[in-house]
Amino acid sequence: MTGNRVVYPPDLADRVAVRSLVRLWLNAIAGVALGGVTAVSALLFTVVALLLLASAHVLGRWGSSLRTAVDGGALALTELELRRIIRFHGRLHTDVLFPQRCRWYLGMRWTIGLLGVGVVLFLTLCVVVAGSMFSAWIMNGSWGLIENSERVNGRLLAQAALPGMLLIFVAVVGVAGVGSLERWFVIQVLGRQSERLLHQRVAELTSSRDHVVDAIDDERRRIERDLHDGIQQQLVAVGMLIGRARRADEPDKERELLAQAHAASQVAISELREVANRVYPIALDHAGLHAAIETMAQRASVPIRLTYELTERLRPAVETAIYFVISEAVTNATKHATPRLVEVTVTHQRFERALATITDDGLGGADPAGTGLSGLARRVAAMDGTLNVDSPVGGPTVVTASVPCG
C-alpha cells in the first residue's frame, strides 16, 4: 500500500481488471436485455399516443385531457428509460424534458431496443451451440463412442472453434455497441451538448430579453390605458360636479351635486385600487400566491373553482408570472366567452416546474395570437416557461402555463 493507494501484484492486477471488465459487460448485457423489454412498451405507447392525439381534435373538451395524459405518459416512460441507461450504461446529463421531445424519443428508441433483443438472442444462440459442441466432444472423447473419436472430434472442434469464437466475439461487441448506441441516442435527442446547449441558450436568452422588453411595454400601455380611460375620466367627472356645485344658487342643488361628486370620487378610488392591483397585487408579498388567487377569485364576476396543490411558496418572480397568467385568463374568459364556471388548478409538475391550468366552459375560439394571450406568452417565455392555449369553437378553453420553480 502506497499512501492511500493499493498496489496489486501484476498477476493479481490482471485478474482484477478481467473481473471488472466481465462485470461491466454483464451489466451492459442486462441493460440491453431490459431495454428490449422497455422497447415493446415504447412501441405500444407510440401507437396508442398517435391514435389518441389524432382523435383529440374531434373530442372537444376531452381532447385536452387526452393530450395531458399522453404528455404525462411520455414524460414518465422517458424518465424510466433515463434511469435504466444511467444504471447500466453510464452517467449522462439531459436538458429539461418536454413532452414533444419525449414523444419523439420514444417513437424512435424502440428500434434500438429491438436491435438489442436481436443481439442478445444471437449471443445466446452462439453460446448454446458452442456449449453443445464442446459437451459432445467431451462425451465422445471420454466414452469412445466411435472409432478414433479423439482424432475426429479434435479435428471437428478445431474447424468449428475459430468461426464460433468470432461469432461470439461479434455478439459480445454487439452488446456493448447497442449500449453505446442507446446512450448516444439519448444524448443526441435529450442530452446536453456544450456547444449546442450554448448556442441554444444564447438564442433563448436573446428571445427572453425581447420578450421582457415587449412585456414591459405592454404593461405600460395597459396601465396608461386604464388610467386614461378609467380613473382620469372619473376624476374629470368629480371636478365638473364640484364646479357645478360651487356655481349652484340653491342649497339643495348644491348638496345633490356634492353627493354625486362624493359618489364619483368613491368610484374613482375603487378604480384606482383595481389598477394598482392589476399592476402588482400586494397580497402576493404578504400572503403568497394562494391568497392572491383567492382574493382575485372573490372579486371576479364569474364563479371560480380553485384547486391549489403547492405546499411551499415559490420565488416571487414565479408567483407573479403565474398570478398574472391566471388573472388575465380569467379576465379574457369573462369578457369574451361568457362562461358559467372557471376552474383554476395550480400544482407541481415534474422536474421542478409549477403548472397552472385555467379551464372555462365558455364559447371557445380564443386566438393565441391575440393581444392578451400573446402578452401572457411573452411574460411566461421571459421566465423560461411555456404557455399553451387550446380553445376549439364551442369550448372549452384550456390555458396551461408551465414555469420553472428555480
PDB file of all heavy atoms in Angstrom, residues 289-301:
ATOM      1  N   LEU A 289     -49.013  33.366  -3.216  1.00  0.00           N
ATOM      2  CA  LEU A 289     -49.793  33.152  -4.435  1.00  0.00           C
ATOM      3  C   LEU A 289     -51.191  32.635  -4.134  1.00  0.00           C
ATOM      4  O   LEU A 289     -52.174  33.079  -4.753  1.00  0.00           O
ATOM      5  CB  LEU A 289     -49.044  32.178  -5.353  1.00  0.00           C
ATOM      6  CG  LEU A 289     -49.723  31.808  -6.667  1.00  0.00           C
ATOM      7  CD1 LEU A 289     -49.937  33.041  -7.536  1.00  0.00           C
ATOM      8  CD2 LEU A 289     -48.895  30.758  -7.415  1.00  0.00           C
ATOM      9  N   HIS A 290     -51.307  31.696  -3.192  1.00  0.00           N
ATOM     10  CA  HIS A 290     -52.610  31.102  -2.905  1.00  0.00           C
ATOM     11  C   HIS A 290     -53.609  32.166  -2.465  1.00  0.00           C
ATOM     12  O   HIS A 290     -54.740  32.240  -2.983  1.00  0.00           O
ATOM     13  CB  HIS A 290     -52.449  30.029  -1.820  1.00  0.00           C
ATOM     14  CG  HIS A 290     -53.671  29.186  -1.643  1.00  0.00           C
ATOM     15  ND1 HIS A 290     -53.800  28.270  -0.613  1.00  0.00           N
ATOM     16  CD2 HIS A 290     -54.833  29.129  -2.350  1.00  0.00           C
ATOM     17  CE1 HIS A 290     -54.984  27.687  -0.714  1.00  0.00           C
ATOM     18  NE2 HIS A 290     -55.623  28.195  -1.747  1.00  0.00           N
ATOM     19  N   ALA A 291     -53.208  32.999  -1.522  1.00  0.00           N
ATOM     20  CA  ALA A 291     -54.115  34.038  -1.031  1.00  0.00           C
ATOM     21  C   ALA A 291     -54.436  35.056  -2.118  1.00  0.00           C
ATOM     22  O   ALA A 291     -55.575  35.541  -2.212  1.00  0.00           O
ATOM     23  CB  ALA A 291     -53.496  34.735   0.176  1.00  0.00           C
ATOM     24  N   ALA A 292     -53.443  35.388  -2.958  1.00  0.00           N
ATOM     25  CA  ALA A 292     -53.693  36.358  -4.024  1.00  0.00           C
ATOM     26  C   ALA A 292     -54.712  35.823  -5.025  1.00  0.00           C
ATOM     27  O   ALA A 292     -55.603  36.555  -5.484  1.00  0.00           O
ATOM     28  CB  ALA A 292     -52.380  36.694  -4.730  1.00  0.00           C
ATOM     29  N   ILE A 293     -54.616  34.531  -5.370  1.00  0.00           N
ATOM     30  CA  ILE A 293     -55.582  33.956  -6.306  1.00  0.00           C
ATOM     31  C   ILE A 293     -56.968  33.889  -5.664  1.00  0.00           C
ATOM     32  O   ILE A 293     -57.985  34.150  -6.329  1.00  0.00           O
ATOM     33  CB  ILE A 293     -55.120  32.556  -6.747  1.00  0.00           C
ATOM     34  CG1 ILE A 293     -53.783  32.642  -7.480  1.00  0.00           C
ATOM     35  CG2 ILE A 293     -56.157  31.913  -7.664  1.00  0.00           C
ATOM     36  CD1 ILE A 293     -53.204  31.289  -7.849  1.00  0.00           C
ATOM     37  N   GLU A 294     -57.038  33.552  -4.383  1.00  0.00           N
ATOM     38  CA  GLU A 294     -58.337  33.521  -3.698  1.00  0.00           C
ATOM     39  C   GLU A 294     -58.981  34.899  -3.685  1.00  0.00           C
ATOM     40  O   GLU A 294     -60.193  35.037  -3.912  1.00  0.00           O
ATOM     41  CB  GLU A 294     -58.159  33.002  -2.273  1.00  0.00           C
ATOM     42  CG  GLU A 294     -57.908  31.506  -2.178  1.00  0.00           C
ATOM     43  CD  GLU A 294     -57.812  31.040  -0.740  1.00  0.00           C
ATOM     44  OE1 GLU A 294     -57.479  31.873   0.122  1.00  0.00           O
ATOM     45  OE2 GLU A 294     -58.067  29.846  -0.481  1.00  0.00           O
ATOM     46  N   THR A 295     -58.181  35.943  -3.427  1.00  0.00           N
ATOM     47  CA  THR A 295     -58.723  37.307  -3.440  1.00  0.00           C
ATOM     48  C   THR A 295     -59.231  37.672  -4.822  1.00  0.00           C
ATOM     49  O   THR A 295     -60.309  38.269  -4.975  1.00  0.00           O
ATOM     50  CB  THR A 295     -57.638  38.298  -2.993  1.00  0.00           C
ATOM     51  OG1 THR A 295     -57.172  37.952  -1.688  1.00  0.00           O
ATOM     52  CG2 THR A 295     -58.179  39.713  -2.976  1.00  0.00           C
ATOM     53  N   MET A 296     -58.455  37.322  -5.833  1.00  0.00           N
ATOM     54  CA  MET A 296     -58.884  37.597  -7.204  1.00  0.00           C
ATOM     55  C   MET A 296     -60.161  36.841  -7.542  1.00  0.00           C
ATOM     56  O   MET A 296     -61.062  37.374  -8.206  1.00  0.00           O
ATOM     57  CB  MET A 296     -57.762  37.198  -8.165  1.00  0.00           C
ATOM     58  CG  MET A 296     -58.054  37.473  -9.643  1.00  0.00           C
ATOM     59  SD  MET A 296     -58.762  36.034 -10.470  1.00  0.00           S
ATOM     60  CE  MET A 296     -57.412  34.882 -10.318  1.00  0.00           C
ATOM     61  N   ALA A 297     -60.274  35.586  -7.073  1.00  0.00           N
ATOM     62  CA  ALA A 297     -61.469  34.795  -7.349  1.00  0.00           C
ATOM     63  C   ALA A 297     -62.701  35.387  -6.683  1.00  0.00           C
ATOM     64  O   ALA A 297     -63.802  35.364  -7.247  1.00  0.00           O
ATOM     65  CB  ALA A 297     -61.251  33.351  -6.888  1.00  0.00           C
ATOM     66  N   GLN A 298     -62.547  35.923  -5.478  1.00  0.00           N
ATOM     67  CA  GLN A 298     -63.670  36.521  -4.766  1.00  0.00           C
ATOM     68  C   GLN A 298     -64.178  37.773  -5.472  1.00  0.00           C
ATOM     69  O   GLN A 298     -65.378  38.081  -5.416  1.00  0.00           O
ATOM     70  CB  GLN A 298     -63.264  36.851  -3.336  1.00  0.00           C
ATOM     71  CG  GLN A 298     -62.991  35.620  -2.478  1.00  0.00           C
ATOM     72  CD  GLN A 298     -62.384  35.979  -1.140  1.00  0.00           C
ATOM     73  OE1 GLN A 298     -62.180  37.157  -0.837  1.00  0.00           O
ATOM     74  NE2 GLN A 298     -62.077  34.966  -0.328  1.00  0.00           N
ATOM     75  N   ARG A 299     -63.292  38.487  -6.126  1.00  0.00           N
ATOM     76  CA  ARG A 299     -63.681  39.734  -6.796  1.00  0.00           C
ATOM     77  C   ARG A 299     -64.116  39.519  -8.229  1.00  0.00           C
ATOM     78  O   ARG A 299     -64.576  40.453  -8.885  1.00  0.00           O
ATOM     79  CB  ARG A 299     -62.511  40.716  -6.743  1.00  0.00           C
ATOM     80  CG  ARG A 299     -62.141  41.112  -5.331  1.00  0.00           C
ATOM     81  CD  ARG A 299     -60.771  41.746  -5.266  1.00  0.00           C
ATOM     82  NE  ARG A 299     -60.649  42.896  -6.140  1.00  0.00           N
ATOM     83  CZ  ARG A 299     -59.519  43.545  -6.369  1.00  0.00           C
ATOM     84  NH1 ARG A 299     -58.413  43.132  -5.776  1.00  0.00           N
ATOM     85  NH2 ARG A 299     -59.493  44.576  -7.161  1.00  0.00           N
ATOM     86  N   ALA A 300     -63.949  38.321  -8.757  1.00  0.00           N
ATOM     87  CA  ALA A 300     -64.300  38.056 -10.150  1.00  0.00           C
ATOM     88  C   ALA A 300     -65.810  38.031 -10.323  1.00  0.00           C
ATOM     89  O   ALA A 300     -66.566  37.711  -9.389  1.00  0.00           O
ATOM     90  CB  ALA A 300     -63.684  36.736 -10.610  1.00  0.00           C
ATOM     91  N   SER A 301     -66.254  38.344 -11.530  1.00  0.00           N
ATOM     92  CA  SER A 301     -67.691  38.366 -11.817  1.00  0.00           C
ATOM     93  C   SER A 301     -68.217  37.020 -12.274  1.00  0.00           C
ATOM     94  O   SER A 301     -69.401  36.903 -12.603  1.00  0.00           O
ATOM     95  CB  SER A 301     -67.966  39.418 -12.906  1.00  0.00           C
ATOM     96  OG  SER A 301     -67.237  39.117 -14.086  1.00  0.00           O
TER      97      SER A 301
END
